[in-house]
Amino acid sequence: MTTTQEQPTTGGSAFRRPKATTGFGSWFTTIDHKKIGILYFATAFLFFSLGGIEALLLRTQLSSPDMAFLTRDQYNQLFTMHGLTMIFFGVMPLGSAAFNYLLPLMIGARDVAFPRLNALSYWVFLFAGIFLYSSVLLGGAPDGGWFAYAPLNVLGGDPLGETLGFASEQSARMMFYSLGLQLAGIASLASAVNFIVTILNMRAPGMTLMRMPVFIWMTLVTSVLMLFAMPVIGVALWQLMFDIGYGANFFNPALGGDPVLWQHMFWLFGHPEVYIIILPAFGIISEVLPVFSRKPLFGYTAIVFSGIAIGFMGWGVWAHHMFAVGLGPVANAAFALSTMFIAVPTGIKIFNWLGTMWGGQIRFRTPMLFAIGMVAMFTIGGLSGVTHAIVPHNYQQTDTYYVVAHFHYVMFGGAVFGLMAGFYYWFPKVKGRMMDERLGKLHFWLMLVGFNLAFGPMHVLGLQGMPRRVATYPDGMGWNLWNLVATVGGYMIALGFLVFVINVLKSRKGGLPAGDDPWDARTLEWSTTSPPPVHNFNEVPVVRTRDDFWNRKYASGDPSRTPLRVPSGGSGEAGADAGDVAHDIHMPDPSYYPLVAAFGMPIMAYGVLFTPILIAVGGVITIAGLFGWALEPSAEEH
Ligand code: HEM
Ligand SMILES: [Cu+2]
């Protein structure tokens, strides 16, 4: 790819922008949304694998009664880190990876609105994960569960915490929790703002809101949820940090704090968070099902509005996580009702997906198998969710394996199956190569069977009274068989992912050439080359209908439907000879300042843990990075 020669506007060489867009070093300075998407995917998949290994350790411990494979302390750290990793560093950023790569391509744009902010978001996310995991070496990982109920997590008294100046080791561990999630929240906020502005401002000419692909709609709703949910947990984490580190008292009732405050704040964030995890999968499914059924999406408007409704209603149901707290019958009844209502828009989507397949010419390729698997597994998880909403049932089920079964059907059966459908679907666009179908199908069946073996029996275990978060259980409770089955299922899932990794490594270079539009798809990203050029489109498409690309292929030879050449990058008309269009399109140059700014942040966090000097050092690095960023010459002028 030729880039034009540009002179920086200011002299100082410190401010000269890096130019390389290929090679190893370019990954550290890239601001191309596609490369950032790939970085997000690779990193999130590594964390996801780590979370998976933790899950296997947990399941190994639980495979038979009275096991001593792990200590209680290790078990507590592992299930906490497993939950945190899967949610904040695995599944959520896998959604971000898809947003980053696909959003500009699907709306006919050349990049996101703020490319360097996008890079910042990635680096902060990476450092947040490394920071959280560094706790393992520095005394112990958080061990209070992913929702870390205060004040239980700030009490205690033991040596490690005292050497760090805290009341206990427990509280030092929870400092890692608080600071790690605050960092991760900064990354989410940055990308949420970026995606919202990109969607609202950078759609191709003619792409009205109601002509956007459903995946873009779900990106928008997810981003809005992130924008409002992160500050809520941010405040709670800040309070937790002050309680632990600086003698404040928000949560400890012995000193006059409120023990239920944390739960309200956590779940006011935490419930929207589960929709942040599942909505990207809803978007993916809504793209995959029509393509492989060779029919338009059934009920586009209903799918979009039910997505928006979920985005609003998700804020009104948080106390369904707190029925057993003792909020009283009025609160419990109100939240039971609101929870049952939110099942309505979710059900509407399921009916629309089924309607899309109904009467279609279904092609059972790997993406479609995962999409159908997602609809089926998510439906099971949704149904057990409705049973939680019935308060007397909830009293019976809460803190048992029934809940663990439920949320894995939703988050794994829904979100992960959906993400896998998207991966197999878009891989040819990203790499220009097809994935191996045989390995893909093997992955699917291993995962589907393993998943149901792993999590199906947990419904039974839960109803038999097996509590969650126990490191072991005695013989003779009638729990042995189902626990063994669940463990076997867990290993089967891991085997499935091994096949997936082999498939990716094999197909990356050796897959069959994909061409631009291998699935005969409907959305704009398939109208450019595979992989897309740095600037995405030589000609910015003009959109006249929903499914415009499909209509252009099939509906008409109407010349007004050929894509319109739009002047590029502010430099006047694009070159007349099509071969050289790229020459006139200016993409912003790479930059190392997002990395610098992000690098200061974990140092500040270590400062809160160890010594205030590091807060200052990290602060200076971050501010220097931001100044360099602001002063960096633009690359636009010649
Ligand atoms: C995307 C995939 C997954 C997600 C999002 C996920 C999420 C979670 C969450 C949030 C928790 C709760 C932690 C807590 O109670 O504080 C958890 C616990 C657990 N998960 Fe997963 N998980 C996933 C995959 C798996 C897999 C593949 C397995 C096993 C084969 C597994 C087994 C477990 C176990 C054994 C627990 C501990 C339950 C307890 O101690 O109460 N998870 N998971
Ligand atoms: Cu909830």
Side-chain angles (χ1 to χ4, degrees), residues 153-284:
N153 55 24
V154 291
L155 304 176
D158 47 55
L160 175 93
E162 272 153 30
T163 48
L164 289 179
F166 301 122
S168 68
E169 177 177 306
Q170 172 70 8
S171 42
R173 290 175 174 191
M174 291 326 288
M175 256 337 215
F176 275 102
Y177 173 97
S178 168
L179 293 161
L181 294 195
Q182 286 182 49
L183 287 175
I186 293 171
S188 301
L189 274 177
S191 60
V193 171
N194 209 345
F195 295 151
I196 292 169
V197 176
T198 305
I199 294 172
L200 295 184
N201 284 324
M202 295 180 62
R203 279 165 288 136
M207 184 181 274
T208 59
L209 289 178
M210 292 311 279
R211 286 179 192 161
M212 292 197 309
V214 173
F215 180 73
I216 301 301
W217 262 112
M218 294 307 114
T219 309
L220 182 61
V221 176
T222 307
S223 302
V224 171
L225 284 175
M226 281 204 249
L227 187 63
F228 290 102
M230 291 303 154
V232 180
I233 187 75
V235 170
L237 292 167
W238 196 253
Q239 291 175 328
L240 180 64
M241 178 174 85
F242 271 80
D243 265 18
I244 301 171
Y246 304 103
N249 180 47
F250 290 100
F251 303 120
N252 184 355
L255 304 168
D258 182 348
V260 188
L261 177 62
W262 171 269
Q263 292 196 36
H264 279 299
M265 296 185 75
F266 184 90
W267 288 115
L268 189 50
F269 147 81
H271 192 82
E273 170 68 20
V274 302
Y275 287 104
I276 292 172
I277 287 176
I278 196 70
L279 284 169
F282 285 3
I284 291 170

Side-chain angles (χ1 to χ4, degrees), residues 267 270-272 274-275 314 317-321 339 406:
W267 288 115
H271 192 82
V274 302
Y275 287 104
V317 302
W318 80 91
H320 66 205
H321 297 266
T339 303
H406 157 72

Side-chain angles (χ1 to χ4, degrees), residues 48 51-52 54-56 58-59 62 75 78-87 91 144-148 277 399-401 404 407-408 411-413 415-416 450-451 454-455 458 467-471 486-487 489-491 493-494 497:
F48 181 81
E54 288 159 354
L56 290 184
L58 294 169
R59 281 306 336 163
L62 294 173
Y75 187 87
L78 278 168
F79 78 69
T80 303
M81 289 301 277
H82 163 72
L84 288 175
T85 305
M86 285 301 191
I87 289 179
V91 179
W146 83 285
F147 44 71
I277 287 176
D399 280 332
T400 69
Y401 262 89
V404 182
F407 68 64
H408 284 90
M411 290 194 278
F412 194 122
V416 179
F451 171 82
F455 300 109
M458 290 188 195
R468 69 190 286 195
R469 296 177 176 164
V470 286
T487 303
Y491 278 93
I493 298 173
F497 273 99

Side-chain angles (χ1 to χ4, degrees), residues 483-519:
N483 270 304
L484 185 61
V485 172
T487 303
V488 171
Y491 278 93
M492 247 176 112
I493 298 173
L495 200 62
F497 273 99
L498 210 62
V499 173
F500 169 72
V501 171
I502 292 170
N503 197 351
V504 173
L505 294 178
K506 182 168 167 278
S507 308
R508 208 164 48 107
K509 297 242 162 64
L512 294 172
D516 294 349
D517 181 23
W519 308 118

Side-chain angles (χ1 to χ4, degrees), residues 343-421:
V344 174
T346 315
I348 289 176
K349 278 180 181 287
I350 293 174
F351 279 111
N352 280 294
W353 291 326
L354 296 178
T356 303
M357 287 188 274
W358 186 274
Q361 299 170 29
I362 297 184
R363 292 178 289 169
F364 290 101
R365 305 295 293 274
T366 312
M368 185 61 167
L369 292 180
F370 275 103
I372 296 172
M374 181 278 183
V375 176
M377 296 305 107
F378 175 75
T379 303
I380 298 175
L383 292 174
S384 62
V386 175
T387 71
H388 297 319
I390 303 160
V391 179
H393 272 262
N394 186 283
Y395 286 158
Q396 164 92 1
Q397 294 155 6
T398 193
D399 280 332
T400 69
Y401 262 89
Y402 189 87
V403 173
V404 182
H406 157 72
F407 68 64
H408 284 90
Y409 267 85
V410 174
M411 290 194 278
F412 194 122
V416 179
F417 273 71
L419 286 163
M420 283 298 122

